[in-house]
Amino acid sequence: MQRTFLSASPEQTRQWARTLARHLQPPLIIALRGDLGAGKTLFTQALAAALGVTAVVTSPTFTLINEYDLPDGHTLYHVDCYRLGDAVTEAHALGLEELFDLGFVVIEWADRIDSLLPPERIDITFSDAGPQQRRICVLDTRPVGHDRLPVLSQECRQ
Amino acid sequence: MTLILGIESSCDETAAAVVIDGRTMRSNVVASQIELHRQYGGVFPEMASRQHVLAILPVMQQALADAEVVWADLDAIAVTRGPGLAGSLLVGVNAAKAAAWMQGLPLLGINHLEGHIYANWVEAEGNLPDKQFPVLVLIVSGGHTELILMLGHGSYRRLGGTLDDAAGEAFDKVARVLGLGYPGGPAIEQAGRSGDAAAYPLPRAWLSGSHDFSFSGLKTAALRAVQKLEGAGNDEERRLTPGAHLPPAQIADLAASFEEAVVDVLVTKTIAAAKATEANEICVCGGVAANARLRHHFQQRSPLPVATPPLYLCTDNAVMIAAAGYYRRLHGEHSNLQLDVKPHLPLVLAQEA
């Protein structure tokens, strides 16, 4: 399933992330793509809060992987491949693949480790559509049977 | 007289140092991997661990030799246990455990952030005056931006911190956008020296009523300013060579304006927090504490005394770990050989906050 839609503001992206959270079951990989300032961390913060994370979710760029315990006993792993040199080799060495079956894994700059990502996942790509607006492209490659993911009302024609 | 060997390997630096009574630096050895990361434009956690393994024993031996002491002269070994990269931390902790066991010395597991704070207590001559608690501490680096109220040795209250990007991370990312290289802090400082800090009015996130910070919006605003100046062009080409399409004077103005915005927020909010908590002094520490504009603004604007470590103690080092270890030991603390790394160790545990 692929959908593209427009978010009019950071708050609308947050709202969508909160709605999305209600449709997700672990284990699940969410691969985020988009340039600096596109809204990847902002999306993750709203998603994490909706999943029950009470801690402040900060950028994992420096720490590479941040972990958050969820109220239901699962774990949210917030991964960032921005700083990795030879990202595929280093992500493999970090044991990133070992996380894939464990809980929710949200990966920023996932395009840097494409070859490591399992085929079944949700890809979300953020791109500029104005100073506050973002075009959000969602590609769900999981087998049918999962919840249909919610979209924002402003759906675009591909 | 208490002699402590400090060991630090949480990130890019392999370091060891000998400190007397937590105040006087006897040696300070740092093997940096920054050249390696600069060369390849990123961090290599696995390669970093291997570099730590190669460097750790020579660095420890050099620290003892520089201090003109032998193992038998030492009273304890202090080592960073977290936060940091797990594979890197393990090298320092295992070396410290092995040395402590072999030499029969007490072992002290130290929080890296507490180490940064204690960089303000130690210097070559050990002549720094005692600080008057409570002290308001700003920890500002690539991974952290936190305001801490230090009530006494080892006693901390967290007031606030960044809600998104650390200040040093914003420096790194904007430097990359401007094509200024890694690490971003020194690169932006140098580029901005000849620039006009008022050229581009960039937004400041004040988050009034809290002691928290946010630098994500500023980072994005700086990026937008660059894109606007570049105008329409080949996006793919721009992606490959960021920042290379602007004249040096514009880069200098952008760097200075960005730096000014970060520093303005850090200084204003730190002074406000110090007033709100009735702190007696301000201590600034962490890699960004080396920034000249930050130091200058603090000296100009703070009604309270502001301490900053010498430049070589702002970035990661083992002097600060040995100093923190001294005060932990003074309070009767020690670790045992089961000491393990804690990659996500906070300075203040949630239940203490």
Side-chain angles (χ1 to χ4, degrees):
Chain A
M1 182 215 78
Q2 178 159 356
R3 287 273 195 287
T4 301
F5 47 91
L6 284 174
S7 165
S9 65
E11 185 45 40
Q12 200 171 34
T13 303
R14 284 192 199 99
Q15 270 174 19
W16 175 68
R18 288 193 282 267
T19 313
L20 186 67
R22 293 202 291 270
H23 295 259
L24 305 178
Q25 290 294 325
L28 174 67
I29 294 152
I30 301 180
L32 305 182
R33 296 139 205 272
D35 281 341
L36 279 177
K40 299 181 293 297
T41 303
L42 178 134
F43 165 85
T44 309
Q45 287 175 327
L47 184 80
L51 291 173
V53 174
T54 51
V56 176
V57 172
T58 55
S59 166
T61 296
F62 189 79
T63 47
L64 308 179
I65 301 175
N66 287 342
E67 297 178 28
Y68 302 94
D69 294 331
L70 303 179
D72 64 2
H74 288 106
T75 304
L76 169 68
Y77 298 93
H78 187 191
V79 181
D80 193 329
C81 301
Y82 175 83
R83 247 172 28 111
L84 289 178
D86 189 1
V88 171
T89 309
E90 290 301 314
H92 178 70
L94 273 173
L96 193 60
E97 292 140 295
E98 291 160 28
L99 303 179
F100 287 167
D101 296 325
L102 294 179
F104 292 100
V105 183
V106 179
I107 307 171
E108 298 199 26
W109 300 93
D111 39 318
R112 304 202 61 213
I113 57 160
D114 263 332
S115 64
L116 283 186
L117 297 173
E120 292 175 11
R121 61 182 196 252
I122 299 174
D123 282 344
I124 305 178
T125 305
F126 300 87
S127 52
D128 279 7
Q132 297 287 308
Q133 297 82 359
R134 294 290 185 273
R135 184 171 290 106
I136 302 177
C137 178
V138 182
L139 177 62
D140 185 354
T141 60
R142 297 172 302 165
V144 286
H146 287 280
D147 266 6
R148 189 172 182 275
L149 298 179
V151 295
L152 285 167
S153 51
Q154 296 89 338
E155 198 157 341
C156 310
R157 290 187 178 280
Q158 272 296 80
Chain B
M1 192 170 84
T2 304
L3 250 72
I4 296 185
L5 173 69
I7 297 172
E8 153 69 34
S9 69
S10 65
C11 190
D12 293 350
E13 270 81 2
T14 321
V18 175
V19 172
I20 303 171
D21 294 339
R23 303 292 285 263
T24 311
M25 183 178 83
R26 280 289 291 270
S27 64
N28 176 27
V29 182
V30 181
S32 177
Q33 302 178 18
I34 229 154
E35 250 336 294
L36 195 73
H37 297 314
R38 198 201 317 267
Q39 206 175 331
Y40 295 102
V43 293
F44 296 79
E46 184 64 17
M47 197 199 289
S49 305
R50 289 198 294 267
Q51 294 296 319
H52 284 305
V53 168
L54 293 176
I56 190 80
L57 292 180
V59 163
M60 286 163 65
Q61 277 155 2
Q62 191 65 45
L64 294 181
D66 287 358
E68 297 175 349
V69 297
V70 293
W71 286 103
D73 298 324
L74 296 175
D75 294 286
I77 298 176
V79 62
T80 304
R81 67 182 304 222
L85 299 175
S88 295
L89 289 165
L90 269 170
V91 178
V93 165
N94 283 334
K97 279 157 76 165
W101 180 73
M102 277 178 64
Q103 305 296 335
L105 290 167
L107 180 68
L108 299 146
I110 300 299
N111 184 307
H112 180 76
L113 298 175
E114 183 172 52
H116 273 301
I117 294 173
Y118 276 97
N120 275 301
W121 264 257
V122 54
E123 49 132 54
E125 305 299 325
N127 288 333
L128 289 176
D130 275 331
K131 304 224 184 315
Q132 302 300 312
F133 294 113
V135 172
L136 197 284
V137 180
L138 170 67
I139 305 175
V140 58
S141 65
H144 298 274
T145 306
E146 299 198 34
L147 282 172
I148 306 282
L149 188 64
M150 187 175 184
L151 302 160
H153 289 294
S155 173
Y156 308 100
R157 187 151 69 85
R158 187 179 186 277
L159 302 174
T162 184
L163 300 179
D164 39 54
D165 298 2
E169 176 186 339
F171 268 101
D172 276 339
K173 286 183 170 171
V174 170
R176 189 137 149 182
V177 168
L178 292 173
L180 293 174
Y182 177 88
I188 288 204
E189 184 174 339
Q190 200 186 346
R193 218 165 271 157
S194 61
D196 174 8
Y200 299 97
L202 295 169
R204 280 100 162 126
W206 294 114
L207 308 181
S208 303
S210 86
H211 297 302
D212 290 327
F213 298 95
S214 167
F215 294 106
S216 176
L218 172 60
K219 168 193 74 185
T220 307
L223 178 70
R224 293 276 173 277
V226 172
Q227 287 170 339
K228 201 174 155 195
L229 289 169
E230 284 180 328
N234 184 329
D235 279 347
E236 197 47 43
E237 184 193 346
R238 190 178 301 157
R239 202 187 301 275
L240 293 174
T241 54
H245 309 273
L246 294 177
Q250 272 182 349
I251 301 257
D253 285 350
L254 279 163
S257 300
F258 168 77
E259 196 184 20
E260 182 75 15
V262 175
V263 165
D264 189 15
V265 172
L266 288 173
V267 172
T268 305
K269 295 208 68 159
T270 301
I271 292 172
K275 281 183 184 161
T277 54
E278 299 183 347
N280 292 316
E281 300 184 31
I282 292 172
C283 276
V284 187
C285 59
V288 181
N291 182 277
R293 194 183 297 267
L294 182 74
R295 288 170 174 248
H296 178 74
H297 275 250
F298 264 121
Q299 298 305 338
Q300 292 284 309
R301 290 168 54 185
S302 175
L304 300 173
V306 179
T308 45
L311 296 183
Y312 61 88
L313 293 184
C314 288
T315 46
D316 289 352
N317 64 83
V319 172
M320 65 190 202
I321 302 303
Y326 171 80
Y327 288 97
R328 285 281 164 192
R329 187 168 184 270
L330 209 58
H331 286 74
E333 292 182 31
H334 64 89
S335 309
N336 59 33
L337 293 177
Q338 268 74 53
L339 178 71
D340 204 358
V341 300
K342 289 269 180 198
H344 301 288
L345 184 68
L347 178 60
V348 184
L349 296 176
Q351 59 265 32
E352 297 173 41

